[in-house]
Amino acid sequence: MIFSEEKWNNGDELREFVKVSAALSFKMMCTPLRNAWYLFLVPLLGDAMAQRVTDIYGAEEREDKDAELLKMCQACVANLAFWYEFDNISVRITDAGFQRQQSDTGSFSPAYKYQEDNLRRGFKAKGFNWLDRILDFLTANIERYEEFRKSDAYEDRVSAIVRSTKDVDDVYFINSSRLVFLRLKVHIGFVEEMTLRPEIGENLYKTLKDGLKEGTADEKIERLRVACSKYVAALAVMRLLRQTGSITDRGLYFASLLSGKEGNMEVKPVDDNRLRLELDGLKDSADAYRVSLMRLIRNEWSDMYAGDAGRVMDMDNDGRKIFWA
């Protein structure tokens, strides 16, 4: 674990990542923090890397990189602990059952429902986004953190065509949301297998995937990956919008300010016309990314260029009377 009673100091250890009262005890937060550590971060890091982070936490002196990694991990665990255990933190369990704690002095009262909902959403988004930051950091410093190479997350990341929220943000803004990226993964896999693979040809697709799996892709492979990533991401977002009409963890929404509402904010899904405009724009983007991808393949991978399937019906009709009908 990367929090302890010895270093708690009336909540100071946690206050750097979440605004909490000095009255918040380690006894109250120990179980939520431990659950978040083992449920979310350990599976991502792998056992070896998780032990490395634990050792960094226990060290009396830390190098700058190690200190930065530890802070990211603590921020992640803190936010996910409050999100995942929100209700358990708000109530106590006794022989008499589940009880909500009230202030005896009257100085404080329970938060409003909309405030609790906003807190839950904030903890969830920040926690999962920290997971992405940790992945980026470890991948960029893999030579320093060799233990991370043994994790499934590293193998999946280096061999992926669409690797992170940044790759999607380059095509369609998702505010670097890890939650949205997780929703897109199934669509990314489908598009990659059923659309990209036939488009670029089996030989080039295998060359790309083999180059990525080695973890030492050269600049040529990386340019191909980026071009493929933009095409795949655009089509994946289109599939998500068509199937669910949403693109964030809460959906594709318009928000408006209203008087007399708790929090003065009302959100509602976009209407069909607006959704259609979004899809049309993504279709145009996908077509443009596809053209760019094929141009790259013709220029840099001419020996593996299998022809552009999208132009199979094109023909040179100069001086001829025949035409496609």
Side-chain angles (χ1 to χ4, degrees):
M1 246 272 281
I2 51 177
F3 290 94
S4 65
E5 188 170 10
E6 293 76 19
K7 299 181 181 181
W8 190 255
N9 192 23
N10 294 326
D12 277 349
E13 190 178 28
L14 191 64
R15 195 175 296 116
E16 184 175 353
F17 315 107
V18 180
K19 185 181 178 182
V20 298
S21 167
L24 184 67
S25 67
F26 182 76
K27 186 178 180 180
M28 168 70 77
M29 290 303 302
C30 178
T31 298
L33 290 169
R34 183 181 292 112
N35 287 342
W37 166 252
Y38 283 108
L39 287 173
F40 298 101
L41 204 53
V42 171
L44 183 81
L45 299 176
D47 292 339
M49 190 63 220
Q51 184 59 53
R52 172 78 179 273
V53 174
T54 303
D55 293 342
I56 291 172
Y57 176 72
E60 294 184 2
E61 296 183 0
R62 308 182 188 104
E63 296 184 16
D64 290 344
K65 289 287 186 182
D66 291 345
E68 184 179 358
L69 173 61
L70 178 61
K71 294 296 185 186
M72 289 191 288
C73 290
Q74 287 182 311
C76 175
V77 168
N79 280 280
L80 290 179
F82 277 107
W83 164 66
Y84 190 71
E85 301 278 358
F86 193 93
D87 290 328
N88 286 341
I89 294 171
S90 302
V91 302
R92 65 179 181 178
I93 305 173
T94 70
D95 292 344
F98 296 87
Q99 300 174 336
R100 182 176 180 85
Q101 297 179 1
Q102 300 275 2
S103 172
D104 294 330
T105 64
S107 299
F108 294 93
S109 58
Y112 291 112
K113 173 73 165 55
Y114 79 90
Q115 291 175 317
E116 292 186 344
D117 291 343
N118 288 339
L119 285 169
R120 281 191 179 97
R121 284 193 293 268
F123 290 140
K124 183 180 180 182
K126 284 182 283 189
F128 279 97
N129 286 353
W130 274 115
L131 289 177
D132 239 15
R133 292 279 304 277
I134 292 167
L135 284 174
D136 288 339
F137 180 85
L138 290 173
T139 303
N141 295 277
I142 192 62
E143 293 183 359
R144 179 181 180 87
Y145 301 106
E146 287 289 337
E147 296 89 342
F148 187 56
R149 289 188 190 273
K150 304 174 184 177
S151 69
D152 292 337
Y154 177 74
E155 293 181 5
D156 291 342
R157 196 173 182 84
V158 297
S159 64
I161 292 175
V162 184
R163 290 180 172 173
S164 65
T165 56
K166 181 181 182 302
D167 286 340
V168 181
D169 266 332
D170 288 342
V171 174
Y172 190 92
F173 183 65
I174 61 171
N175 198 26
S176 300
S177 172
R178 174 73 177 174
L179 296 172
V180 178
F181 186 73
L182 291 175
R183 292 188 67 205
L184 282 168
K185 286 196 72 172
V186 63
H187 300 290
I188 289 171
F190 180 89
V191 171
E192 183 180 321
E193 184 68 23
M194 305 306 295
T195 303
L196 178 68
R197 190 169 186 166
E199 287 276 8
I200 68 176
E202 191 67 31
N203 290 337
L204 184 54
Y205 180 80
K206 185 177 185 303
T207 299
L208 172 61
K209 296 296 285 186
D210 289 346
L212 293 175
K213 285 179 182 178
E214 294 173 0
T216 56
D218 58 24
E219 292 184 4
K220 190 176 179 182
I221 287 286
E222 180 62 14
R223 284 195 296 271
L224 178 60
R225 183 198 71 80
V226 171
C228 290
S229 172
K230 293 180 184 296
Y231 181 46
V232 170
L235 293 178
V237 172
M238 284 180 64
R239 280 179 54 82
L240 181 60
L241 286 175
R242 286 191 177 120
Q243 289 189 7
T244 68
S246 63
I247 192 57
T248 73
D249 56 303
R250 298 179 58 216
L252 181 63
Y253 285 85
F254 282 138
S256 57
L257 291 173
L258 294 177
S259 61
K261 292 285 184 179
E262 290 182 338
N264 298 320
M265 184 70 72
E266 180 186 61
V267 293
K268 58 183 180 179
V270 298
D271 56 39
D272 290 342
N273 289 334
R274 178 59 184 171
L275 181 58
R276 192 174 299 110
L277 289 174
E278 292 284 333
L279 289 171
D280 289 344
L282 277 166
K283 177 65 166 59
D284 292 340
S285 296
D287 289 343
Y289 288 131
R290 182 183 173 280
V291 170
S292 178
L293 171 60
M294 291 303 170
R295 184 186 303 116
L296 175 70
I297 294 173
R298 284 196 303 270
N299 292 338
E300 297 194 12
W301 301 88
S302 57
D303 56 326
M304 292 188 181
Y305 179 63
D308 189 341
R311 302 188 63 182
V312 68
M313 301 300 289
D314 292 358
M315 62 174 293
D316 183 3
N317 199 40
D318 292 346
R320 303 178 182 179
K321 296 181 180 180
I322 60 174
F323 63 92
W324 292 115

